[in-house]
Amino acid sequence: MNFKLSDEHRLIQEAARDFATRELAVDVIERDKESRFPLRQVQLMGELGFMGVTIPMKYGGAEMDHLSYVLIIEELAKIDASSAVIVSAHNSLALWGLNTYGTEEQKEKFLKPLAEGKKLGAFALSEPEAGSDASSQHTSARKTEDGYILNGNKNWITNGSSADTYIVIAQTDHSRGSHGISAFIIEKNQPGFTIGPKEDKLGIRSSDTHALHFSDVAVSESQLLGQEGSGFKIAMETLDGGRIGIAAQAVGIAEGAYQLALKYAQERKTFGKPIFKHQAIQFKLSDMATKIQAARLLTYQAAALKDQGERYTKEAAMAKLFASETAMSSTIEAIQIHGGYGYVREYQVERMMRDAKITEIYEGTSEIQKMVIARELLKSLSS
Ligand code: CAA
């Protein structure tokens, strides 16, 4: 076992850190305030290969491994969690399924422009009545002679209005439960597909989140991703990978808040000495650093298992559960260390706390992660 990053991984980490410091930090406070999508930065990330990290070069990607992907998301999230989730939803939720289950024709047509960063992707599973209970899909895709007719509503969709290509999960045979669910590749301009207003969120405010509406959208056979009836499995596998991305985002948020708190603790003086010299503050920083490192190792482990072709459902859920709770506790402590200054926008840690909260909710709440872990524990008993 080797806990040192390779030279190649360190270079990727440095490139992402450099990009985030140069391009994301500049107006991160304003983008949060105005809920402004980082359009220019997303274009630049396309040029750097961040929009097709693990996709083969022949489909426009950078053909890196999942550990590289995690390192990139972590560095982006240290500075700007919104940009991190835009990149994570695009790579993990939209591109992974296309690369794994797409036909050659689908990869050429849909995957390539996405992986090159010329288009943006989104993944639509959640519905008003199908959040944690994801197989309870109401969106339907009725079979016709030459394809399907799609009807229904999706909500909480990251990259909702900025995306061009959407992986949409829908019921094709209600009588078959989770085996009657299929995945479709839908394009933004398809007649009958409309996008609801932008959600006014607590955090990750410069990523756009919307409801999607499908009213008699004609979908061709060539837009079916994988086999009919395999959509729930595709969605669950997609989320296993997505959870590694969110774990990396959470590690990044926690690390960003920790670094600001550590710096502030050395500058701010009370009772005649820097607050870092007070044991109360030292203990907080020690706890933060320890939890962040543990969260990071869980996340790297899940990514490494994925790279080795092993099962990683349990490890991804553990990483997301622990990292998201670490992001929440670390950002709250970072505010406490900053005192009153931590409560205002300029010092950034209040935004990081608002951004951290969603990591305990999206791509499966902490409670869902515990269900997933428990089911995997049971499986290991019976195998
Ligand atoms: N990989 C492969 N197959 C899987 C799987 C996995 N990880 N998990 C389940 N399956 C398969 C099962 O093996 C089973 O197949 P068989 O019937 O052939 O055995 C089938 O799927 C049904 O499985 P379950 O009976 O376990 O399904 P369930 O209805 O009990 O649900 C759940 C399981 C884990 C709770 C699931 O509903 C879940 O993950 N819920 C949370 C959904 C979620 O994370 N939503 C987030 C939305 S995305 C998002 O946030 C978007 C964004 O933009 C950021």
Side-chain angles (χ1 to χ4, degrees), residues 2-14 64-65 67-68 71 300 307:
N2 181 359
F3 289 100
K4 269 185 83 180
L5 291 179
S6 68
D7 289 348
E8 199 181 314
H9 285 127
R10 273 216 312 282
L11 280 177
I12 291 156
Q13 188 182 46
E14 275 163 30
M64 295 189 254
D65 60 9
L67 182 56
S68 305
L71 295 171
Y300 291 6
D307 283 327

Side-chain angles (χ1 to χ4, degrees), residues 16-222:
R17 187 174 300 162
D18 180 56
F19 170 81
T21 317
R22 255 185 315 106
E23 302 290 347
L24 295 180
V26 192
D27 55 354
V28 62
I29 297 175
E30 287 69 30
R31 284 201 309 278
D32 167 71
K33 209 187 286 183
E34 297 159 15
S35 290
R36 180 159 38 91
F37 187 85
L39 193 58
R40 187 182 63 84
Q41 288 89 340
V42 170
Q43 280 161 359
L44 289 173
M45 286 194 277
E47 289 164 23
L48 287 170
F50 295 178
M51 304 309 281
V53 183
T54 61
I55 304 302
M57 281 181 189
K58 69 171 177 164
Y59 302 122
E63 209 166 317
M64 295 189 254
D65 60 9
H66 288 89
L67 182 56
S68 305
Y69 169 61
V70 157
L71 295 171
I72 292 168
I73 298 292
E74 188 183 335
E75 290 304 322
L76 302 180
K78 270 193 213 171
I79 305 279
D80 179 14
S82 292
S83 294
V85 75
I86 292 165
V87 175
S88 178
H90 172 88
N91 276 281
S92 293
L93 301 185
L95 274 61
W96 183 84
L98 275 171
N99 187 44
T100 309
Y101 288 99
T103 61
E104 206 48 41
E105 191 193 330
Q106 288 171 335
K107 289 185 192 183
E108 277 297 324
K109 182 172 176 191
F110 300 110
L111 178 62
K112 211 166 176 194
L114 288 164
E116 286 170 348
K118 292 180 180 150
K119 287 189 172 182
L120 192 67
F123 173 74
L125 170 71
S126 299
E127 297 185 356
E129 290 171 76
S132 290
D133 186 5
S135 68
S136 178
Q137 293 283 306
H138 286 64
T139 298
S140 67
R142 183 171 48 80
K143 191 102 178 82
T144 60
E145 261 179 25
D146 51 356
Y148 301 84
I149 297 290
L150 190 66
N151 277 291
N153 300 298
K154 297 287 177 183
N155 64 353
W156 315 126
I157 307 307
T158 302
N159 300 339
S161 70
S162 309
D164 305 277
T165 308
Y166 301 75
I167 305 299
V168 178
I169 307 298
Q171 193 67 253
T172 36
D173 183 352
H174 204 265
S175 66
R176 299 194 63 219
S178 68
H179 292 275
I181 291 172
S182 304
F184 297 91
I185 311 160
I186 305 295
E187 291 187 280
K188 191 184 222 155
N189 55 8
Q190 290 195 231
F193 174 19
T194 53
I195 297 166
K198 188 181 198 164
E199 301 291 350
D200 188 9
K201 307 190 298 282
L202 174 74
I204 54 157
R205 288 176 59 79
S206 76
S207 95
D208 64 310
T209 308
H210 294 257
L212 310 179
H213 309 292
F214 303 96
S215 176
D216 288 335
V217 177
V219 177
S220 71
E221 284 278 1
S222 64

Side-chain angles (χ1 to χ4, degrees), residues 241-263:
R243 287 166 186 162
I244 301 177
I246 301 305
Q249 183 200 23
V251 171
I253 297 171
E255 178 70 33
Y258 161 77
Q259 285 181 4
L260 289 176
L262 182 62
K263 184 164 174 280

Side-chain angles (χ1 to χ4, degrees), residues 357-374:
K357 184 59 205 167
I358 192 62
T359 64
E360 293 183 320
I361 298 172
Y362 58 20
E363 301 203 27
T365 59
S366 292
E367 292 75 13
I368 287 292
Q369 305 312 322
K370 289 180 191 177
M371 273 173 67
V372 171
I373 295 164

Side-chain angles (χ1 to χ4, degrees), residues 146-364:
D146 51 356
Y148 301 84
I149 297 290
L150 190 66
N151 277 291
N153 300 298
K154 297 287 177 183
N155 64 353
W156 315 126
I157 307 307
T158 302
N159 300 339
S161 70
S162 309
D164 305 277
T165 308
Y166 301 75
I167 305 299
V168 178
I169 307 298
Q171 193 67 253
T172 36
D173 183 352
H174 204 265
S175 66
R176 299 194 63 219
S178 68
H179 292 275
I181 291 172
S182 304
F184 297 91
I185 311 160
I186 305 295
E187 291 187 280
K188 191 184 222 155
N189 55 8
Q190 290 195 231
F193 174 19
T194 53
I195 297 166
K198 188 181 198 164
E199 301 291 350
D200 188 9
K201 307 190 298 282
L202 174 74
I204 54 157
R205 288 176 59 79
S206 76
S207 95
D208 64 310
T209 308
H210 294 257
L212 310 179
H213 309 292
F214 303 96
S215 176
D216 288 335
V217 177
V219 177
S220 71
E221 284 278 1
S222 64
Q223 290 175 270
L224 175 70
L225 180 65
Q227 300 295 312
E228 192 180 292
S230 66
F232 191 68
K233 183 171 174 278
I234 293 176
M236 290 299 106
E237 288 177 2
T238 298
L239 283 170
D240 282 343
R243 287 166 186 162
I244 301 177
I246 301 305
Q249 183 200 23
V251 171
I253 297 171
E255 178 70 33
Y258 161 77
Q259 285 181 4
L260 289 176
L262 182 62
K263 184 164 174 280
Y264 183 82
Q266 286 157 345
E267 291 163 3
R268 172 74 174 171
K269 287 192 176 126
T270 61
F271 306 102
K273 55 185 175 186
I275 61 172
F276 184 78
K277 294 269 162 92
H278 297 301
Q279 202 175 48
I281 302 297
Q282 289 179 352
F283 282 9
K284 284 186 192 302
L285 288 162
S286 302
D287 284 346
M288 286 161 80
T290 306
K291 284 186 194 161
I292 294 167
Q293 186 60 5
R296 180 177 287 120
L297 291 176
L298 281 172
T299 307
Y300 291 6
Q301 182 197 24
L305 285 173
K306 189 169 183 180
D307 283 327
Q308 288 153 17
E310 304 277 342
R311 266 187 70 87
Y312 55 92
T313 300
K314 181 181 75 190
E315 288 75 10
M318 285 176 164
K320 182 186 181 279
L321 172 66
F322 190 76
S324 60
E325 292 185 351
T326 298
M328 204 59 226
S329 63
S330 300
T331 51
I332 286 177
E333 287 295 48
I335 293 178
Q336 194 67 19
I337 291 168
H338 279 78
Y341 293 100
Y343 208 61
V344 295
R345 281 186 195 271
E346 189 190 338
Y347 285 78
Q348 312 232 35
V349 283
E350 64 80 35
R351 185 190 77 249
M352 292 173 170
M353 182 200 69
R354 290 187 283 107
D355 289 345
K357 184 59 205 167
I358 192 62
T359 64
E360 293 183 320
I361 298 172
Y362 58 20
E363 301 203 27

